[in-house]
Amino acid sequence: MDLDRLITGIRDGDRRALARAITLVESGRADHRAQATRLLDAVTDPERQAIRIGLSGTPGVGKSTFTEAFGLMLTGQGLRVAVLAVDPSSARSGGSILGDKTRMEQLSRDPNAFIRPSPSQTELGGVARRTREVIALAEAAGFDVVIVETVGVGQSETLVAQMTDIFTLLLAPGGGDELQGVKRGIMEIADLILVNKADGEMKAQAGRTCADYAGALRLFRKRPGDPEDFPKALTVSAVTGDGIATAWDEMRALVAHRRASGQFDQTRARQNRHWFDDAVRHGILRHLGSDPETRARMEKLGAAVAAGDAAPSAAADRMLALLFGGDRPD
Ligand code: GDP
């Protein structure tokens, strides 16, 4: 792999170079990992900053339809849009949220859009790393908006919220007990709730659902520094396009507000810090799993614990001392 050409390609915003770079960061090979790290280091440019939008919702709520309509609106304004998928379940099922169907057909043909499905084979711990790196690459390639789409499986929302600037939850119009269906944790991290399918027969119902959520959101503590009226609930229709421009206006207003207050940069700094912590933690775990000597020692100590010959905490201390030096309690 010609790394220099890849670096130039990314800087030039070349979509094929971006696709190749993503394949590189997704690779499990040690030599690829080293190249990926060099690549990320070389292309990272603080001057290039996308708006990173997390988008979550259960299957069927209209994520793809919304993303296509929203994405086309943005490219229509001359913006470049990258759509990435995070699907932790794909590690088990082998499926992927964007890859299995032909979705976002129009957007995928748009020269100002880049769509990348979730890889079908990713170790669970690798999902976060891969996604952060892909976001960084898309940003370095000059994309103005990066949409990170995820299915609603609890854990993945938190993950996506930790690497985006704005977290959006897409919901469908529903009956009165809908509210209980949405986990409190997700309501707490959402900046914007969009009740989709506000069209035709469902329009009135969508309005009522939206009012219910708006009411529920008022019960949550505001994020310090955010405008009084956030988090917000709005109705949209991915099919007619109603409300989509308003949703974008609200997102931009929130970003502008957070930029002005310094909160935007603080959040990114915290996210980078978290990324670093995570990378170190995973590196240690990888080492535990792959270094033969370390594994043998783990096995031996583990067997001693299981046999009742060593106390778990003492054995763990010995293992840690072996890895990092320091006092070895016997
Ligand atoms: P996803 O699984 O969340 O990505 O959902 P899809 O985008 O595949 O949409 C699921 C179904 O809902 C499809 O049949 C869409 O045509 C339909 N749908 C999506 N958005 C809307 C909308 O705004 N209004 C209506 N009436 N149907 C929609």
Side-chain angles (χ1 to χ4, degrees):
M1 170 112 32
D2 185 344
L3 209 57
D4 288 335
R5 266 186 52 198
L6 213 47
I7 292 168
T8 313
I10 299 272
R11 286 195 184 130
D12 289 347
D14 176 36
R15 290 188 301 172
R16 268 180 315 174
L18 178 58
R20 278 205 303 276
I22 293 175
T23 305
L24 187 67
V25 305
E26 281 170 2
S27 168
R29 274 173 48 182
D31 57 330
H32 285 170
R33 189 86 288 271
Q35 283 184 319
T37 309
R38 273 175 53 206
L39 174 70
L40 280 161
D41 208 32
V43 298
T44 300
D45 176 359
E47 296 293 305
R48 291 190 176 185
Q49 200 173 61
I51 295 184
R52 306 170 179 174
I53 301 168
L55 179 71
S56 170
T58 48
V61 73
K63 289 182 298 300
S64 298
T65 315
F66 175 82
T67 303
E68 166 143 286
F70 184 64
L72 287 170
M73 180 193 75
L74 297 178
T75 59
Q77 295 174 7
L79 298 170
R80 299 182 72 217
V81 180
V83 181
L84 317 170
V86 178
D87 182 6
S89 63
S90 69
R92 274 157 290 166
S93 67
S96 67
I97 38 177
L98 294 173
D100 51 350
K101 301 175 211 165
T102 314
R103 294 165 123 184
M104 300 186 237
E105 264 184 67
Q106 250 184 296
L107 191 63
S108 62
R109 285 198 302 270
D110 192 318
N112 281 325
F114 176 87
I115 299 177
R116 183 75 174 196
S118 174
S120 52
Q121 295 301 328
T122 318
E123 38 144 353
L124 272 178
V127 173
R129 175 185 63 72
R130 173 255 175 202
T131 310
R132 285 193 187 100
E133 292 181 353
V134 175
I135 292 173
L137 287 173
E139 202 161 56
F143 283 86
D144 302 292
V145 178
V146 177
I147 300 168
V148 187
E149 184 186 315
T150 188
V151 278
V153 289
Q155 240 187 340
S156 67
E157 278 96 350
T158 317
L159 198 94
V160 168
Q162 275 165 359
M163 45 184 87
T164 49
D165 304 315
I166 285 187
F167 188 78
T168 308
L169 181 63
L170 208 60
L171 295 170
D177 35 344
E178 274 300 293
L179 262 176
Q180 278 113 53
V182 177
K183 290 190 201 75
R184 190 188 159 91
I186 296 168
M187 293 279 285
E188 275 172 357
I189 56 174
D191 295 306
L192 210 55
I193 285 182
L194 301 177
V195 181
N196 190 33
K197 309 196 183 183
D199 50 52
E201 285 177 359
M202 285 180 289
K203 192 168 178 171
Q205 180 65 59
R208 284 193 293 273
T209 306
C210 184
D212 284 348
Y213 280 104
L217 284 174
R218 277 194 285 277
L219 303 177
F220 289 116
R221 199 163 54 86
K222 301 259 164 293
R223 227 145 295 159
D226 271 356
E228 260 309 293
D229 53 344
F230 276 93
K232 233 177 219 193
L234 305 169
T235 56
V236 293
S237 167
V239 167
T240 66
D242 281 353
I244 291 186
T246 309
W248 173 232
D249 287 343
E250 295 291 355
M251 291 180 199
R252 275 191 312 176
L254 185 59
V255 166
H257 189 279
R258 288 179 178 170
R259 280 209 169 109
S261 72
Q263 199 191 340
F264 186 93
D265 287 340
Q266 282 164 23
T267 304
R268 285 230 174 164
R270 203 173 52 241
Q271 289 175 342
N272 276 339
R273 176 65 213 253
H274 184 72
W275 180 353
F276 162 76
D277 288 347
D278 230 32
V280 172
R281 213 169 289 132
H282 275 99
I284 294 171
L285 289 177
R286 220 174 24 249
H287 180 75
L288 272 184
S290 63
D291 181 61
E293 204 181 307
T294 309
R295 268 175 63 171
R297 191 68 194 228
M298 267 303 265
E299 274 308 311
K300 207 171 150 206
L301 283 166
V305 170
D309 294 336
S313 307
D317 279 348
R318 274 213 291 282
M319 189 67 222
L320 292 171
L322 188 85
L323 283 173
F324 302 113
D327 288 341
R328 206 174 296 189
D330 176 39

